[in-house]
Amino acid sequence: MGNEAGDADSIVSALCLAYIKSFNATTPSNSGSCIHVPIVSIPREDMALRRDVLNLLELAGIEKDDLLYINDPIVSANLFVKDDAAQDYTNESYTPKLQITLVDHNKLRSSLREQKFYRNVVEILDHHVDELAHAGVTGDSRQVAFDAKESKALVGSTCTLVTECYMRYYEAEINKGGGSTTKGIDSNMALLLLGVILLDTNDMSTQSGKGTPRDSRAIQFLMDRTDWNHFDILDATPTNMFVTDSDGAVRTPNRPNLYAYLHTAKFDAKFWNDMTTKDALRIDYKQYEDGATQKLSFGLSSVLLPISNIVNKKEFYKTAANFTMEQNIDMLGIMSLDIKNGTPQRELLLLSSNQQLVIDVTEYLTHDPSTSFLKLSTKMQGGMVDSECYFSRQLSQGNSKGSRKQVAPVLQQFFADYTGE
């Protein structure tokens, strides 16, 4: 199961990891058989907002309606159910029947923690800062590819970690076959993984700096080891998406065209400008809490248009204030990413009913030595907005490589230490 934002990486890494694990259907903690079920980590009705994911699923011949979503009654009634209401879950030797693998995050969402599924987490594959939750998940079961000291991810995509899992399985198959295997990688799964890795690393663009050598090796493995000849090109598939032989057989995906196709769907300016304010805030939203006191929390919404465009949406400030209250958070941060002439530009808008909190966060982000790498500066200072008791600050971010993976940890540190004095 992916994170609550439910982007392409979260959705596809869950799908493909479950598929890979089905080859050897044993649980991470014991040798008993099990069924691996991928869960799409967003409500079913929200999938329509993930245009890049929809395009990729269509290319791979997967119907979105056939997937299981976090709010499906069958999921809540049959999966997220405690084994036995009388069971003592404080017993460290107890192994729950429901075992959860987290992908693209490393701390179970608060709604499931509140339902006491915390100890059901038995495996983690992620590339965000380790929040040090689920201490019982250790060793090979805990793959968190993030360098906290350098504040950077060691892979650009969780799908790279999933591909590495398949690489290990593939190597084991070769060893069992005496040094060779005639079995190629499933082309539909490979296309899903390849598409997301390209999307997350901007096709290994050096300018964006998101790709790593591990991502490059994963891409090459998928391109070289996949049995593309068995990939079925559908009638709706764009004609330039694959390199084909004279007889029409698929040789390989056209990597630049595949990336451009997904990137265009994700960054489509008209789509984002036509979106309602609430949809723009919730399409890629993550929430964070101070793990020590649980008194203060904040959320970060990532949007793919300039701040000036989103604040000009109908009733923006009123909607943002209501959204903040609905999420029960103390501060909302809106991180914008806009591509101009091939150059990424980032901004940050802070919103809260607590004016002093906005002032203190702004001071921290713009002047504290620990945040200097983000190169944040105040762009616009707002007061009471739209007749609501909400205050705002707009910041420019000089370091375009500083995504939510970098901004969230520094804000978590601020909220952990904040006294309000």
Side-chain angles (χ1 to χ4, degrees):
M1 181 174 66
N3 64 47
E4 60 190 319
D7 63 359
D9 197 23
S10 277
I11 294 171
V12 171
S13 60
L15 285 173
C16 292
L17 184 62
Y19 177 72
I20 293 168
K21 283 181 172 293
S22 68
F23 299 155
N24 184 24
T26 59
T27 63
S29 58
N30 60 52
S31 58
S33 62
C34 67
I35 299 174
H36 297 280
V37 182
I39 303 297
V40 179
S41 54
I42 55 173
R44 179 175 288 272
E45 58 271 19
D46 286 359
M47 184 61 112
L49 298 174
R50 272 77 175 169
R51 299 180 72 201
D52 53 339
V53 180
L54 294 177
N55 283 3
L56 186 55
L57 290 175
E58 184 179 43
L59 285 177
I62 296 175
E63 293 287 342
K64 64 178 177 60
D65 293 339
D66 293 339
L67 304 177
L68 290 175
Y69 295 79
I70 190 72
N71 68 330
D72 285 349
I74 191 173
V75 172
S76 57
N78 294 281
L79 289 181
F80 294 116
V81 178
K82 280 299 181 185
D83 303 341
D84 185 346
Q87 173 66 48
D88 179 12
Y89 287 93
T90 63
N91 182 355
E92 292 298 325
S93 64
Y94 174 68
T95 301
K97 291 181 181 178
L98 171 66
Q99 301 195 355
I100 300 173
T101 294
L102 302 180
V103 294
D104 203 25
H105 64 313
N106 56 72
K107 185 177 182 180
L108 193 66
R109 63 176 65 194
S110 58
S111 60
L112 292 178
R113 293 201 306 272
E114 291 166 0
Q115 296 176 53
K116 303 187 186 305
F117 287 101
Y118 192 86
R119 285 196 54 217
N120 293 73
V121 175
V122 297
E123 188 177 22
I124 295 170
L125 273 79
D126 185 34
H127 63 145
H128 298 85
V129 64
D130 196 341
E131 298 190 52
L132 304 179
H134 314 291
V137 182
T138 59
D140 292 341
S141 294
R142 190 184 194 92
Q143 298 183 49
V144 182
F146 192 92
D147 186 334
K149 186 176 181 180
E150 297 294 328
S151 189
K152 68 176 183 180
L154 300 178
V155 294
S157 176
T158 305
C159 282
T160 292
L161 300 177
V162 175
T163 303
E164 290 178 344
C165 290
Y166 197 93
M167 291 166 71
R168 289 191 289 272
Y169 168 80
Y170 191 82
E171 183 178 350
E173 288 295 298
I174 290 177
N175 291 335
K176 284 195 295 185
S180 65
T181 179
T182 58
K183 186 177 181 181
I185 300 172
D186 180 272
S187 55
N188 297 85
M189 181 193 71
L191 186 70
L192 291 174
L193 292 170
L194 177 64
V196 175
I197 298 172
L198 294 179
L199 195 59
D200 283 349
T201 64
N202 292 327
D203 196 10
M204 295 301 293
S205 163
T206 55
Q207 187 175 15
S208 70
K210 290 186 173 183
T212 71
R214 290 171 67 177
D215 299 302
S216 181
R217 286 193 294 271
I219 291 171
Q220 202 60 48
F221 173 80
L222 293 169
M223 292 288 287
D224 294 344
R225 300 291 185 177
T226 300
D227 186 4
W228 296 112
N229 289 325
H230 286 85
F231 187 86
D232 291 327
I233 296 181
L234 306 176
D235 292 339
T237 303
T239 56
N240 65 346
M241 205 57 56
F242 296 92
V243 177
T244 59
D245 290 325
S246 57
D247 61 358
V250 175
R251 283 167 49 196
T252 59
N254 186 317
R255 178 172 155 180
N257 289 351
L258 174 60
Y259 166 70
Y261 179 63
L262 299 174
H263 183 270
T264 299
K266 182 176 181 178
F267 282 80
D268 181 22
K270 185 179 186 305
F271 172 72
W272 277 93
N273 283 314
D274 290 347
M275 197 183 297
T276 67
T277 298
K278 186 168 184 179
D279 282 347
L281 294 177
R282 71 190 182 89
I283 188 174
D284 192 359
Y285 171 80
K286 290 184 181 179
Q287 191 160 314
Y288 306 86
E289 300 166 345
D290 170 21
T293 66
Q294 301 292 318
K295 291 181 179 179
L296 290 175
S297 62
F298 67 96
L300 290 176
S301 295
S302 291
V303 298
L304 300 179
L305 73 172
I307 292 296
S308 58
N309 287 42
I310 191 169
V311 298
N312 284 327
K313 286 182 178 290
K314 183 179 179 180
E315 296 187 325
F316 166 74
Y317 286 106
K318 181 178 181 179
T319 305
N322 289 336
F323 182 80
T324 302
M325 289 186 287
E326 289 171 5
Q327 302 303 319
N328 194 28
I329 54 176
D330 298 278
M331 186 190 76
L332 173 65
I334 301 174
M335 299 185 63
S336 77
L337 173 61
D338 185 36
I339 309 294
K340 290 186 177 180
N341 299 320
T343 302
Q345 299 183 356
R346 291 186 182 273
E347 296 175 300
L348 174 63
L349 182 67
L350 304 174
L351 291 144
S352 177
S353 60
N354 185 335
Q355 183 178 26
Q356 190 60 49
L357 177 61
V358 172
I359 293 172
D360 292 342
V361 172
T362 302
E363 176 70 17
Y364 170 73
L365 290 175
T366 55
H367 292 95
D368 193 278
S370 67
T371 67
S372 60
F373 72 98
L374 293 171
K375 299 180 182 179
L376 286 159
S377 59
T378 304
K379 184 174 183 179
M380 186 179 296
Q381 180 171 309
M384 188 178 293
V385 291
D386 204 35
S387 300
E388 301 285 341
C389 294
Y390 269 73
F391 302 86
S392 67
R393 291 290 187 277
Q394 186 175 339
L395 308 177
S396 293
Q397 184 176 314
N399 178 7
S400 62
K401 297 179 182 178
S403 67
R404 187 163 52 192
K405 291 184 185 68
Q406 286 72 39
V407 174
V410 299
L411 284 175
Q412 285 177 297
Q413 187 59 56
F414 170 85
F415 276 85
D417 298 337
Y418 188 62
T419 62
E421 298 176 357

